[in-house]
């Protein structure tokens, strides 16, 4: 018994030391990257695995079209980064192989295809999620996900904390005995402060008068309690922004309540709750295949589809029917982030026209609809339509 407890204590001590070091690093953070003075801005395109390379290819072609002038005059460089596949990661037993990480760190922003994370019972050994590792390595603390459903009055912007919470030590839990397993959840003052502040800042800058904080602070008292207490403190600095707080369980219900839906605007949550409600919101928007997301840090930023590598689609030979809208939306978010706001808006409009309004071709995920390639071609045609904006306005 004593030996078991000592082993668990050693494990816990190591975790506490690592986290205290992380807090020290957080306290000495650098400033935000200024893309306007960078030349070239290096956009890394990381294919991922499963349906990743198939959908990411279409986003690259769209970048090549929209950023052709910037690529020609050296303001932008597109750089494809190979090797972030489950096969390669398993070969070296690393969430992100060293050489791939090195290449990633040479870029300023990344467009990343989905990557498989092995789970119990899979054919793959247990390695950490490439996303969790990338968020930590590049300190991408904010996962920002827009969700818009105009006919339901929904215009949500989610700020999910990306570097701590229930996931940061997700692979570092312990099976203390055969019968007892313990996982760890971490919230730091600095980590909670920067994400909550980002959400309040966003609300203020965009004249949005509402921030909703999501926790389970009534039960998970130390970590969620800290998150909520920090929100309360920060809210005082933004008297012009109203705020409220909800528990994750009732929040998941209220997001599908027509009487409530349109009242939520900016939502901020720790990692796991943010993961849950953003997938729910993506479903309300039209399925995970349609949602893009931004992972923002001060130095790096990574943009990706909300969904995973869809192994079932691959196994069933349906990859060519995967919807590329999610990664194309992520590409729009990326362009917006690095300052090409007009081009990003144009892409959003083309996506809106093709997927929501005009629907000349439709994806169903199967051979009952068109392929992702046909859909991407449709978006490209739409982008080259000189009347794109007028057309889009006519649908509003
Ligand atoms: P998933 O999102 O990969 O797929 C679930 C289902 O959603 C699919 O079977 C498919 O029906 C549908 N779907 C997803 N993307 C689609 C698209 N573009 N077009 C049409 N339909 C689409 O979820 P999962 O099966 O839980 O996860 C598969 C793997 O992906 C796991 O290893 C998981 O860990 C990983 N994952 C990665 C990321 C990421 O890299 N950001 C995110 C989530 C999951």
């Amino acid at each position: 018994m004593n030996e078991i407890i000592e082993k668990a204590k050693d494990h816990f001590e190591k975790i506490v030391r690592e986290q205290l070091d992380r807090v020290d690093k957080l306290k000495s953070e650098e400033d935000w990257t200024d893309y306007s003075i960078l030349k070239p801005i290096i956009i890394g395109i990381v294919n991922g695995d499963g349906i990743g390379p198939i959908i990411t290819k279409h986003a690259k072609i769209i970048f090549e079209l929209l950023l052709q002038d910037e690529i020609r005059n050296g303001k932008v460089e597109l750089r494809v980064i190979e090797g972030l596949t489950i096969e390669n990661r398993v070969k070296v037993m690393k969430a992100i192989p060293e050489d791939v990480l090195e290449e990633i760190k040479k870029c300023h922003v990344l467009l990343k295809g989905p990557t498989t994370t092995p789970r119990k019972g899979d054919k793959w050994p247990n390695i950490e999620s490439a996303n969790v590792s990338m968020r930590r390595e590049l300190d991408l603390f904010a996962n920002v996900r827009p969700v818009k459903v105009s006919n339901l009055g929904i215009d949500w912007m989610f700020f999910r904390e990306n570097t701590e919470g229930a996931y940061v030590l997700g692979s570092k839990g312990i099976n203390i005995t055969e019968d007892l397993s313990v996982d760890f959840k971490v919230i730091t003052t600095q980590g909670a402060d920067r994400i909550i502040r980002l959400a309040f800042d966003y609300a203020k800058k965009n004249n949005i008068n509402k921030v909703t904080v999501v926790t389970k602070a009534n039960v998970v008292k130390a970590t969620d309690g800290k998150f909520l207490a920090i929100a309360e403190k920060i809210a005082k600095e933004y008297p012009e922004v109203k705020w409220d707080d909800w528990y994750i369980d009732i929040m998941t219900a209220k997001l599908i309540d027509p009487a409530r839906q349109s009242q939520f605007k900016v939502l901020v949550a720790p990692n796991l709750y943010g993961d849950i409600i953003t997938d729910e919101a993506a479903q309300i928007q039209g399925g995970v295949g349609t949602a893009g997301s931004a992972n923002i840090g001060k130095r790096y930023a990574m943009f990706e589809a909300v969904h995973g590598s869809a192994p079932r689609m691959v196994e069933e030979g349906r990859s060519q029917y995967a919807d590329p809208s999610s990664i194309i939306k992520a590409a729009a978010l990326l362009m917006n982030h690095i300052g090409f706001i007009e081009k990003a808006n144009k892409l959003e409009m083309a996506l809106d026209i093709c997927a929501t309004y005009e629907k000349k071709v439709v994806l169903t995920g199967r051979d009952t609809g068109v392929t992702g390639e046909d859909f991407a071609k449709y978006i490209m045609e739409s982008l080259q339509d000189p009347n794109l904006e007028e057309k889009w306005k006519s649908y509003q």
Side-chain angles (χ1 to χ4, degrees), residues 51 55 112-119 131 288-289 304-313 321-323 326:
I51 60 167
I55 56 170
K112 179 190 161 289
T115 41
T116 300
T117 304
R119 64 189 105 188
N131 269 45
V288 290
E304 61 173 347
V306 165
H307 58 75
S309 53
R312 197 168 305 143
M313 287 192 95
Y321 298 108
D323 189 346
S326 48

Side-chain angles (χ1 to χ4, degrees), residues 4-40:
I4 292 170
I5 291 175
E6 283 310 313
K7 213 171 141 202
K9 274 163 71 181
D10 284 351
H11 187 95
F12 188 56
E13 182 181 337
K14 199 167 159 246
I15 283 170
V16 172
R17 286 188 188 281
E18 277 170 15
Q19 292 306 308
L20 287 172
D21 282 350
R22 199 170 66 82
V23 169
D24 281 345
K25 277 198 201 114
L26 281 172
K27 285 181 177 167
S28 55
E29 271 193 330
E30 56 193 309
D31 259 352
W32 294 88
T33 298
D34 181 356
Y35 299 101
S36 68
I37 55 168
L38 273 182
K39 197 172 178 184

Side-chain angles (χ1 to χ4, degrees), residues 186-202:
V186 178
I187 301 276
T188 65
T189 300
Q190 291 71 20
D193 187 286
R194 61 186 182 175
I195 185 78
I196 296 166
R197 206 171 280 283
L198 196 69
F200 273 90
D201 258 353
Y202 176 87

Side-chain angles (χ1 to χ4, degrees), residues 242-340:
K242 283 195 189 120
W243 79 289
D244 58 4
D245 85 281
W246 290 75
Y247 297 133
I248 179 64
D249 41 359
I250 190 67
M251 185 80 236
T252 55
K254 290 299 162 193
L255 283 183
I256 53 167
D257 176 357
R260 278 273 178 204
Q261 279 176 324
S262 61
Q263 294 171 18
F264 300 115
K265 302 285 177 208
V266 173
L267 301 99
V268 58
N271 213 336
L272 174 60
Y273 311 139
D275 195 7
I276 294 167
I277 54 175
T278 48
D279 265 13
E280 184 190 13
Q283 188 62 40
I284 297 168
Q285 184 174 255
V288 290
T290 63
S293 85
N295 299 272
I296 295 174
K298 289 187 171 174
R299 177 159 181 199
Y300 297 102
M302 182 264 273
F303 300 79
E304 61 173 347
V306 165
H307 58 75
S309 53
R312 197 168 305 143
M313 287 192 95
V314 179
E315 275 157 31
E316 292 172 6
R318 293 187 287 120
S319 327
Q320 70 272 34
Y321 298 108
D323 189 346
S325 305
S326 48
I327 196 93
I328 293 174
K329 228 170 229 178
L333 288 170
L334 184 152
M335 286 192 293
N336 187 302
H337 183 70
I338 59 175
F340 302 121

